[in-house]
Amino acid sequence: MAATVQHEAVPFVSKSGRTVTLRPCTPDDAPFIAAMYQCLSRDTLYMRYCSCSPAITGESEAARLCSADPEHRAVVLALCGGEVVGIGELGRVEGETAEIALLVRDDCQGDGMGTALALHMIGVARVMGVARIQAYTLPDNHAVRRIASKLPYTVAYERSRGELLVTVDISRPVVMHS
């Protein structure tokens, strides 16, 4: 099934009490995405892209995200107070596997937005018929590890060429025992 399945905006309250809305990205969001990139530190960009390439700009990423092919890619924004504070991106790699990428503005990190985006993107992935999501990250990206550890699914880690591949089997939740 294609990612063009429409989903509603979903509000949630962050750990600090901020009201955040998760909703699909539209072409009109480009200036708001570009503005978010102006608020990102070099460390945040490095953790997201495994590089600090000058080719990665707010404008180029806004154009790429806002023109994503909805048959193969889903982009969800986290908005708070009219500003983009997080981005979730999901792109089909092959078959039932999709790659996920999350980005949260520096001043909103540690507030539950990454976890909320991940869970929302998993819901979108399942509607798309995806059974596994993967994220390529740096081995020292502890935020990705924390988010993965909170998910009610089987998670596998594999190191390869200086990166860490995190694979989450979302085909069925793991039964949690207390």
Side-chain angles (χ1 to χ4, degrees):
M1 181 172 271
T4 55
V5 172
Q6 297 298 313
H7 51 277
E8 298 294 319
V10 177
F12 79 96
V13 177
S14 72
K15 289 193 259 181
S16 69
R18 300 179 209 206
T19 299
V20 180
T21 301
L22 302 178
R23 68 157 175 78
C25 180
T26 70
D28 294 336
D29 292 319
F32 305 109
I33 293 170
M36 176 186 154
Y37 273 77
Q38 297 302 311
C39 300
L40 301 175
S41 68
R42 287 181 58 84
D43 285 344
T44 294
L45 289 169
Y46 184 71
M47 286 296 167
R48 164 59 183 89
Y49 296 100
C50 302
S51 151
C52 280
S53 170
I56 300 168
T57 66
E59 291 76 17
S60 65
E61 283 299 280
R64 183 181 70 79
L65 293 167
C66 290
S67 65
D69 176 359
E71 292 296 316
H72 303 286
R73 185 168 304 280
V75 179
V76 172
L77 303 180
L79 296 119
C80 181
E83 298 179 345
V84 175
V85 295
I87 302 169
E89 183 179 0
L90 185 74
R92 189 178 298 277
V93 178
E94 63 180 66
E96 294 183 335
T97 302
E99 185 173 348
I100 187 172
L102 304 173
L103 183 61
V104 175
R105 202 170 73 184
D106 290 62
D107 63 321
C108 297
Q109 293 175 10
D111 204 16
M113 290 185 206
T115 302
L117 273 167
L119 290 167
H120 188 79
M121 297 309 293
I122 288 170
V124 171
R126 291 182 73 158
V127 169
M128 290 172 63
V130 169
R132 283 170 305 287
I133 58 171
Q134 297 178 327
Y136 289 91
T137 189
L138 296 170
D140 59 343
N141 189 333
H142 301 291
V144 167
R145 290 174 180 255
R146 272 192 308 275
I147 290 168
S149 72
K150 295 175 187 175
L151 300 176
Y153 301 97
T154 301
V155 180
Y157 300 92
E158 178 184 333
R159 286 182 183 242
S160 175
R161 296 182 299 238
E163 289 185 329
L164 182 66
L165 171 61
V166 182
T167 303
V168 184
D169 178 352
I170 63 169
S171 61
R172 62 184 174 278
V174 174
V175 176
M176 306 297 272
H177 298 284
S178 45

